[in-house]
């Protein structure tokens, strides 16, 4: 039996606008797609948020009666075993995802006016989204965060047959599928308009902006109260507040496209300076390489390579993570763009909290977000990052650090709600 079809309301009202927001990933770790859902609901639209329900979503998502979560069933644990060759496990996982996507998008959810889908992952998401949009009379919009084929190339190599197939698939679906497209940078928009993508449908650039939960520190008392409460910082709170110990924060997905060894090597170099301030480094996030790097951290500590350096890994609630950013001295971003034209959401959140950053800069779109000497510093090697840490955390560098913090606070004035309303509000029909 074919899925039911969307019937357009005439005259259309804001309340009649319905949007399916799809992410073939963990909803709780997909902030941009959650923000899309909140923006539609804020203007009275109805949202079906579809994805894996693993980490806790944004609290406002759970509290909003106009947003309903439809969880996707995770692939069987058998397909996650590394002992099964990729050539077998990969296709089986895709078949599982095809079945779950069709079941949820086509039959469990009511028909919607719009289907907004995150890319990547592109396989099988884009093909199923196109199929559903045709069957249910739904407008399809792709939110391009990056390219699936470039991420796959990071592990398989660009000449691998699967990578070439993925690239051809993504280019073909990008041309055929959408009513409209969104990109996270102007550089990505320009790239999609050229070969090999040749996307002809309208492309809108919607820069990531921080949600309201990320705010600069209001008072020193708030900083003291939070640092004394958080388990990871309570033993060092007094020294951090006094400026004797520096607090840095990095959020990572623990994947190959974020080379955590850059930060480790930089901290080892930094620790060799006799006059260097002690550092507490809190690393948040989950991912496949976490246990590997935790073991490496322990090895460095046992070897005495990190004197006066404490590296702690943590998994925090959204509220605690936002507060931690506002209390830190410096944010570290290790994001290495596989495509060269995406941007890391974590830097946006840091700016929203008034936190300056030191960020890896070896890709084209970097300057669309981080301005050297204004709101952050750029590096490409561990030596350069170590030099930044030494300079900013020295007595002579305190004025520069204050300048960067002021620049980050200015960036925090640019918020998601205003950007989303300007770019997408009228397109989706929730703003006149």
């Amino acid at each position: 039996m074919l899925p039911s079809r969307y019937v357009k309301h005439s005259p259309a009202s804001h309340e009649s606008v319905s949007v399916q927001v799809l992410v073939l990933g963990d909803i709780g770790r997909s902030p941009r797609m959650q923000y899309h859902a909140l923006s539609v609901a804020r203007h009275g639209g109805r949202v079906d948020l579809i994805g894996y329900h693993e980490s806790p979503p944004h609290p406002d998502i759970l509290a909003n009666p106009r947003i309903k979560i439809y969880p996707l069933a995770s692939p069987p644990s058998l397909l996650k075993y590394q002992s099964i060759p990729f050539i077998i496990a990969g296709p089986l996982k895709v078949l599982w995802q095809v079945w779950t996507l069709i079941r949820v998008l086509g039959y469990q959810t009511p028909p919607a006016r719009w289907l907004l889908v995150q890319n990547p992952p592109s396989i099988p998401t884009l093909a199923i989204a196109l199929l559903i949009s045709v069957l249910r009379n739904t407008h399809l919009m792709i939110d391009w965060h990056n390219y699936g084929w470039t991420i796959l190339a990071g592990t398989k190599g660009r000449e691998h047959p699967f990578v070439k197939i993925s690239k051809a698939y993504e280019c073909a679906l990008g041309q055929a599928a959408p009513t409209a497209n969104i990109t996270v940078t102007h550089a990505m928009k320009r790239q999609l308009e050229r070969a090999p993508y040749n996307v002809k449908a309208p492309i809108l650039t919607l820069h990531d902006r921080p949600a309201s939960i990320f705010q600069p520190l209001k008072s020193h008392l708030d900083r003291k109260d939070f640092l004394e409460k958080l388990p990871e910082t309570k033993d060092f709170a007094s020294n951090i507040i006094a400026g004797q110990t520096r607090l840095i924060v990095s959020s990572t997905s623990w994947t190959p496209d974020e080379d955590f060894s850059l930060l480790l090597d930089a901290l080892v170099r930094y620790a060799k300076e006799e006059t260097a301030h002690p550092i507490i480094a809190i690393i948040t996030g989950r991912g496949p390489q976490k246990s590997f790097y935790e073991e490496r951290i322990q090895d460095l500590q046992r070897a005495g390579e990190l004197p006066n350096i404490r590296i702690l890994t943590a998994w925090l609630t959204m509220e605690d993570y936002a507060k931690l950013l506002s209390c830190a001295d410096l944010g570290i971003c290790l994001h290495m763009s596989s495509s060269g034209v995406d941007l890391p959401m974590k830097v946006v959140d840091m700016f929203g909290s008034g936190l300056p950053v030191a960020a890896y800069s070896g890709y084209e779109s970097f300057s669309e977000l981080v301005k050297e000497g204004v709101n952050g510093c750029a590096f490409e090697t561990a030596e350069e990052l170590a030099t930044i840490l030494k300079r900013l955390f020295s007595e002579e560098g305190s004025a520069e650090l204050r300048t960067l913090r002021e620049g980050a606070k200015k960036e925090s004035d640019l918020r998601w709600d205003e950007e989303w309303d300007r770019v997408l509000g009228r397109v989706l029909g929730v703003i006149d």
Side-chain angles (χ1 to χ4, degrees):
M1 185 175 70
L2 293 177
S4 58
R5 289 171 62 83
Y6 173 76
V7 178
K8 185 176 180 179
H9 296 262
S10 184
S13 65
H14 299 167
E15 290 75 17
S16 69
V17 174
S18 52
V19 182
Q20 292 178 333
V21 177
L22 170 63
V23 51
L24 192 60
D26 182 8
I27 293 172
R29 296 170 65 187
S30 305
R32 183 176 168 99
M33 304 311 284
Q34 293 184 80
Y35 298 164
H36 280 306
L38 288 169
S39 293
V40 174
R42 177 167 53 89
H43 290 291
R46 174 179 62 80
V47 181
D48 296 327
L49 183 54
I50 303 150
Y52 297 122
H53 199 350
E54 298 170 350
S55 306
H58 192 294
D60 290 349
I61 292 281
L62 300 175
N64 197 309
R66 304 195 69 83
I67 300 174
K68 184 174 181 179
I69 294 176
Y70 287 84
L72 295 171
S74 298
S77 56
L78 178 66
L79 298 180
K80 301 177 184 178
Y81 293 153
Q82 294 185 352
S83 58
I84 300 178
F86 176 78
I87 196 170
I88 297 174
L92 289 176
K93 183 179 178 181
V94 169
L95 288 175
W96 174 273
Q97 291 170 336
V98 167
W99 175 72
T100 55
L101 286 171
I102 290 177
R103 182 165 59 93
V104 175
L105 287 172
Y107 298 96
Q108 291 186 359
T109 56
R113 182 177 179 180
W114 288 93
L115 171 54
L116 175 57
V117 56
Q118 173 184 306
N119 185 73
S122 55
I123 299 174
T125 321
L126 296 186
I128 301 304
L130 175 59
L131 174 65
I132 292 298
S133 67
V134 172
L135 292 177
R136 305 201 80 175
N137 191 33
T138 296
H139 294 304
L140 177 59
M141 180 180 287
I142 300 176
D143 189 359
W144 297 82
H145 296 197
N146 205 339
Y147 307 132
W149 74 268
T150 61
I151 294 175
L152 186 62
T155 56
K156 303 294 180 184
R158 290 188 173 234
E159 298 304 312
H160 194 284
F162 284 153
V163 174
K164 292 183 177 181
I165 292 171
S166 176
K167 182 178 181 179
Y169 163 91
E170 201 163 3
C171 291
L173 269 293
Q175 294 170 23
T179 301
N181 301 271
I182 317 167
T183 61
V184 294
T185 65
H186 294 304
M188 184 178 287
K189 176 181 185 293
R190 292 191 296 268
Q191 202 170 78
L192 285 174
E193 290 171 338
R194 301 193 300 262
Y197 303 98
N198 295 318
V199 173
K200 302 303 182 185
I203 305 175
L204 308 169
T205 297
L206 175 64
H207 283 113
D208 283 320
R209 300 296 183 201
S212 58
I213 195 171
F214 295 97
Q215 296 289 340
L217 195 67
K218 293 182 178 178
S219 71
H220 293 295
L221 182 59
D222 288 344
R223 188 185 194 212
K224 177 176 181 293
D225 289 344
F226 178 75
L227 293 176
E228 290 177 345
K229 180 189 71 173
L230 190 70
E232 287 78 10
T233 57
K234 64 180 182 181
D235 294 337
F236 318 101
S238 59
N239 287 340
I240 294 172
I241 294 165
Q244 298 169 355
T245 297
R246 301 296 189 171
L247 175 61
I248 65 176
V249 178
S250 181
S251 174
T252 178
S253 57
W254 301 101
T255 53
D257 66 341
E258 294 188 355
D259 186 1
F260 189 71
S261 63
L262 273 177
L263 177 56
L264 282 185
D265 293 346
L267 289 174
V268 169
R269 291 171 180 269
Y270 173 89
K272 291 178 180 178
E273 294 288 322
E274 293 183 2
T275 58
H277 282 80
I279 284 180
I280 304 297
I282 298 181
I283 316 300
T284 71
R286 293 174 178 167
Q289 294 186 334
K290 182 177 180 179
S291 58
F292 167 79
Y293 279 110
E294 284 178 329
E295 290 181 10
R296 188 176 170 198
I297 291 168
Q298 292 174 1
D299 290 342
L300 289 172
Q301 290 171 335
R302 283 192 291 265
E305 297 281 348
L306 293 170
N308 291 324
I309 306 288
R310 292 291 298 272
I311 303 175
L312 307 172
T313 58
W315 178 252
L316 305 175
T317 64
M318 182 73 79
E319 295 93 330
D320 282 348
Y321 175 62
K323 290 177 182 176
L324 176 63
L325 292 183
S326 68
C327 292
D329 294 300
L330 185 68
I332 306 292
C333 177
L334 303 170
H335 175 78
M336 296 179 175
S337 172
S338 65
S339 63
V341 292
D342 69 318
L343 284 173
M345 186 72 186
K346 64 198 71 178
V347 171
V348 175
D349 296 337
M350 290 173 181
F351 285 162
S353 302
L355 179 64
V357 303
Y360 180 82
S361 60
Y363 52 97
E364 178 185 347
S365 56
F366 176 81
S367 61
E368 288 190 35
L369 182 59
V370 181
K371 306 296 188 294
E372 176 73 41
V374 176
N375 52 30
C377 299
F379 67 87
E380 293 189 28
T381 66
E383 184 178 4
E384 291 173 349
L385 177 55
T387 299
I388 290 170
L389 295 176
K390 293 172 190 176
R391 186 177 76 245
L392 294 182
F393 291 164
S394 68
E395 297 302 325
E396 296 78 12
S398 58
E400 182 184 358
L401 188 58
R402 284 195 299 271
T403 297
L404 296 179
R405 185 172 289 277
E406 288 303 313
K409 287 180 179 178
K410 288 182 181 178
E411 286 291 325
S412 75
D413 293 337
L414 303 171
R415 290 287 160 174
W416 171 268
D417 288 344
E418 291 78 13
E419 181 79 354
W420 192 93
D421 288 355
R422 181 183 67 82
V423 176
L424 281 187
R426 288 181 176 81
V427 175
L428 295 181
V430 294
I431 295 178
D432 295 326

